[in-house]
Amino acid sequence: MMSDDQFVLRAIGRVESTLTDAASAPKQGDEGAPDAWLVFDLEVSDALRNLAAGDEVLLLTWLDRAARDVLAVRPRSDPNRPEQGVFSTRSPARPNPIGLHRVTILAIDGLRMQVSSLEALDGTPLLDVKPVLRGIDER
Amino acid sequence: MMSDDQFVLRAIGRVESTLTDAASAPKQGDEGAPDAWLVFDLEVSDALRNLAAGDEVLLLTWLDRAARDVLAVRPRSDPNRPEQGVFSTRSPARPNPIGLHRVTILAIDGLRMQVSSLEALDGTPLLDVKPVLRGIDER
């Protein structure tokens, strides 16, 4: 049973990537991550309308292989750095392991979307796509 | 019972704001939103270490008053604009209504943190705080 402080996320698709191992994956997209495909569920196809190749978007994912009971980490997994609270780091380990990725759409083919430089692992559940906010007069 | 495609979020705190009504709230933080307080749960206090006044952070919230079954909207609630898929808009209505807010920390007092220009409503559950990514050589 859900309490008032719990909410249920539903995956809207999955990542298809050549990255399969967290230990060898780049820590951020701009650190050599490969292009990847997002495969969306048929139920959300209407929500994908108006997205196009060339758009810069924010992709939200569920980091399903991350620890949720870790509140402090050594940044970059560097043993020489002191522990920091996870909210001041981009560690996947955190109470709600939501991944946030800024990517460019390279191609769209029905429910499949290719994006640039994504550090998420193969099979990672997709949660949301949001446009990058433009200036106030272009909204 | 949770399926493989469902995940449980837990609130880590709440927003305290003078904004109580979605209809009159600004649509984005930089459109006149007030400063607000974030009140974190004691369980995550270790995760808050190393955050300080002046830091720019990304705040993730659960938009608990948003519709989840809406896949297309008229942007800015403007009846003259054509419907768009929600993934190309910042509408709170979307399958997983996670709010993403870029704010500056103004003050920290124990488990309470004041932030600038937040368009989230009073009582909105908090999910995560992430630092804004800096250049590769400063990570």
Side-chain angles (χ1 to χ4, degrees):
Chain A
M1 186 166 153
M2 296 284 111
S3 84
D4 273 4
D5 282 336
Q6 298 194 349
F7 318 105
V8 178
L9 293 170
R10 302 176 202 127
I12 58 169
R14 298 269 167 180
V15 171
E16 276 186 10
S17 172
T18 55
L19 293 176
T20 55
D21 173 35
S24 60
K27 295 195 186 303
Q28 298 297 334
D30 60 4
E31 297 175 23
D35 300 342
W37 285 91
L38 313 180
V39 185
F40 290 91
D41 295 344
L42 181 61
E43 296 83 65
V44 298
S45 62
D46 276 353
L48 293 168
R49 280 160 41 190
N50 308 96
L51 291 174
D55 289 353
E56 256 200 309
V57 295
L58 299 168
L59 175 67
L60 277 65
T61 61
W62 183 250
L63 303 171
D64 56 347
R65 278 148 277 192
R68 302 185 67 172
D69 55 353
V70 170
L71 297 177
V73 296
R74 295 182 200 279
R76 314 285 303 170
S77 308
D78 180 342
N80 296 316
R81 288 172 73 162
E83 274 199 346
Q84 284 182 211
V86 290
F87 295 157
S88 69
T89 80
R90 286 292 189 110
S91 169
R94 51 210 313 119
N96 292 304
I98 298 169
L100 178 63
H101 320 265
R102 186 170 176 150
V103 296
T104 299
I105 298 174
L106 301 176
I108 297 181
D109 177 13
L111 294 167
R112 299 173 56 83
M113 179 185 293
Q114 190 184 31
V115 299
S116 61
S117 306
L118 181 66
E119 77 278 22
L121 299 178
D122 187 56
T124 298
L126 304 175
L127 300 178
D128 198 10
V129 180
K130 297 180 191 292
V132 172
L133 269 186
R134 289 173 295 176
I136 288 180
D137 53 358
E138 294 177 76
R139 288 176 193 169
Chain B
M1 185 164 152
M2 294 287 111
S3 83
D4 272 3
D5 282 336
Q6 298 194 349
F7 318 104
V8 178
L9 293 170
R10 303 175 201 127
I12 58 168
R14 297 268 167 181
V15 172
E16 275 185 12
S17 172
T18 55
L19 292 177
T20 55
D21 174 34
S24 60
K27 295 198 187 299
Q28 297 297 335
D30 60 3
E31 297 176 23
D35 299 343
W37 284 91
L38 312 180
V39 186
F40 289 90
D41 295 342
L42 181 60
E43 295 83 64
V44 298
S45 62
D46 276 353
L48 294 167
R49 281 161 41 191
N50 308 94
L51 291 174
D55 289 353
E56 256 200 308
V57 295
L58 299 168
L59 175 65
L60 278 66
T61 61
W62 183 250
L63 302 171
D64 55 347
R65 277 149 278 191
R68 302 184 69 172
D69 55 353
V70 171
L71 297 179
V73 296
R74 294 182 200 280
R76 314 286 303 171
S77 308
D78 181 343
N80 297 316
R81 287 172 73 161
E83 274 199 346
Q84 283 183 212
V86 291
F87 295 157
S88 70
T89 81
R90 285 293 189 111
S91 168
R94 51 213 310 121
N96 292 304
I98 297 169
L100 179 62
H101 319 266
R102 186 169 175 150
V103 296
T104 300
I105 299 175
L106 301 176
I108 296 180
D109 178 13
L111 293 166
R112 297 173 58 81
M113 180 185 293
Q114 190 184 30
V115 299
S116 62
S117 305
L118 181 66
E119 77 278 20
L121 299 178
D122 187 57
T124 298
L126 304 175
L127 299 178
D128 198 11
V129 180
K130 298 182 190 292
V132 173
L133 269 186
R134 289 174 295 177
I136 291 179
D137 52 359
E138 294 176 77
R139 289 177 191 166

